[in-house]
Amino acid sequence: MKTLFFECAAGISGDMTAAALLDLGADRAALERAVASLPLSGFRTKISRVKKAGISCLDFHVILDRAHENHDHDMAYLYGSLPEQIHADGGCEDPDAGENRGRAECEDPDAGENRGRAGCEDPDAGENDESAGNAKSGMTHADREENGHGSGGHRAHHEHRSYADVRQVLAKTDMTDTARTLAEKIFRILAEAEAEAHNVPVDEVHFHEVGAVDSIVDVVACAVLMDSLRADAVVVPPLAEGTGMIRCQHGILPVPVPAVLNIAKRQGIRLHIHQDWQGERVTPTGAAFLAAVKTTDEIPCHADITAVGYGAGKRDYEPAGILRVILFESGEGAAGGERQETISAERTVSPGTVSVGTAASSGDKETTETIWCLETNIDDCTGEQLGYCMEKLFAAGVRDAHYEPCFMKKSRPAWILRALCTEEKREAVEQVIFRETTTIGIRRFRVERSCLDRRVYSVRVRGEDVRIKAAEGPDGWKMKPEYEDAAHLAKKYDLSFSEASEEILREAESAAAKECSGQAQESAAAKECSGQAQESAAAKECSGQAQESAAAKERPGSRAGTAS
């Protein structure tokens, strides 16, 4: 099982995310294809290694031409002349020094790793351009992504893109359907947050910052890179955010900006607001990305760390803007919601913060949850289409899905497609059904289900790690080998599937018996120690009583002394 943990102790933005995923090992070639195919102009990208607070990080930089510059990284533009702003955090003393403040020093481009790298040459030189083309447009205050930089004056190009405009851009971009679905979901979350902030319908939202060229590039980059990593779970802890005010195309807004607060409220993302941090640490694009990919807020207890990626922010903040993404891999779990032993990601957050958002609840042995049931009748799809649709549904994160035969009008044999999913997956699942089948309508309704406490653990069978799914019911534990592991064992050792499954269960029961025996021995040892301690205490008490009695006899004036 592959689990990604986004450590947002210094905030998050779109370009920080893209850089961290690249540094982690995501597919750079897929990124380059997607960026090169964008139907936009006025930009190029550069990937390089930089240092932030002495840490080697990757930097993903969307460089805009003068016509599309939006000053997203110009500290003087964002914070200059604002009351009680971040001068103490790294300053905006020189109003003309906004271009490269907080850019971090470049490392030797020939040293260290080569993954996701393109030197640190002059940003205006074309040697390491990853793509070209881009045209700025508007999007509400949603996304001050960390890509633009000031260049002299603060003249910005104010084109506006609607949510529909952005979807058209994504439709023409060369990326997988899964990546496109994720990018669309990110923009949908942004559009809903902006619609609430401005009290307009979603389709009437016109983006400023997040509709800008650099923000579209960031979102596409994040979606393509995330898709290439094929993670089974994504851990999102509380996001560290600052306070104060920030300038954007709407004017001067409080931090956190309204779009970020709306995303946190609507999507169950937690913010930890540091009262002594001045300035925006969480951008709307960063928050929307995490809301789109989050599956849990708990970190696996037992997993190997197989990769770490560091993404650099460009604004000059203290602490330095670094996003760290950690890849955990473990045999203890599978996609589709199986539960593992975990610890809460909130333990990584430092004290002295204010929490905003909703807390995760812990489960009992039996829990009740509410999920969506999506269903549709299909009478004109081939078997190949339906089989492929099923694969895509599970890739989109459904809890379960199946086909059921039925007869429709005019006595046509058909299929009922039924899928179960969580609220955060519903839109993506519906898009898969519409895209991969001929249906033109989907019924949906909420259902409640009772769930036993499920766990996944591994046992050693013939030198192989084999996963066991276990659920605790009213009459004890139910255990079943993971199908893929049982099938692998059967093929490798020329066993029938039943023989492999039975051998796995025997090993699991033997391991459980040994564990119980060990616990019993520990309990017996504890009892013995407790008994010995009690005996020792009793002996001491008796000894003390005897000493007191002897002392009493020897005291002058006692009855014993008088008698003598």
Side-chain angles (χ1 to χ4, degrees), residues 275-327:
Q275 307 264 18
D276 56 342
W277 288 9
Q278 290 292 310
E280 179 190 53
R281 301 316 205 274
V282 178
T283 69
T285 296
F289 169 80
L290 292 179
V293 300
K294 175 183 175 179
T295 63
T296 182
D297 57 4
E298 296 183 326
I299 307 169
C301 281
H302 306 292
D304 296 326
I305 296 175
T306 56
V308 180
Y310 293 88
K314 297 174 184 61
R315 298 180 189 169
D316 187 14
Y317 289 136
E318 191 65 40
I322 299 174
L323 172 66
R324 181 161 66 176
V325 182
I326 303 172
L327 175 61

Side-chain angles (χ1 to χ4, degrees), residues 237-313:
L239 316 184
E241 175 62 302
T243 59
M245 309 293 286
I246 188 168
R247 180 180 285 109
C248 70
Q249 291 184 19
H250 281 292
I252 296 174
L253 295 177
V255 176
V257 296
V260 167
L261 285 180
N262 289 343
I263 290 169
K265 179 183 68 174
R266 296 171 65 93
Q267 305 294 330
I269 298 294
R270 292 179 65 86
L271 301 179
H272 276 246
I273 299 175
H274 293 254
Q275 307 264 18
D276 56 342
W277 288 9
Q278 290 292 310
E280 179 190 53
R281 301 316 205 274
V282 178
T283 69
T285 296
F289 169 80
L290 292 179
V293 300
K294 175 183 175 179
T295 63
T296 182
D297 57 4
E298 296 183 326
I299 307 169
C301 281
H302 306 292
D304 296 326
I305 296 175
T306 56
V308 180
Y310 293 88

Side-chain angles (χ1 to χ4, degrees), residues 371-379 393 398 400 402-409 414-421 426-427 429-431 433-434 437 439-447:
I371 57 177
W372 284 99
C373 180
L374 310 178
E375 62 179 38
T376 185
N377 294 10
I378 305 169
D379 66 355
L393 286 173
V398 297
D400 202 356
H402 67 270
Y403 293 109
E404 184 178 313
C406 66
F407 283 92
M408 293 174 62
K409 59 187 177 182
W415 298 95
I416 299 173
L417 166 58
R418 189 170 290 120
L420 299 177
C421 65
R426 180 183 60 77
E427 186 176 350
V429 171
E430 288 182 348
Q431 290 177 358
I433 296 173
F434 280 130
T437 73
T439 191
I440 59 174
I442 300 171
R443 300 181 295 276
R444 66 172 180 252
F445 47 91
R446 294 182 184 274
V447 295

Side-chain angles (χ1 to χ4, degrees), residues 178-197:
T178 306
R180 195 183 333 276
T181 297
L182 176 55
E184 290 173 351
K185 183 176 182 180
I186 293 168
F187 276 111
R188 177 74 184 186
I189 291 170
L190 286 166
E192 290 173 347
E194 292 294 348
E196 181 177 352

Side-chain angles (χ1 to χ4, degrees), residues 47-64:
I47 299 168
S48 59
R49 296 209 72 82
V50 300
K51 282 187 177 180
K52 299 281 286 185
I55 302 297
S56 174
C57 306
L58 204 67
D59 178 42
F60 179 71
H61 194 183
V62 181
I63 303 171
L64 303 175

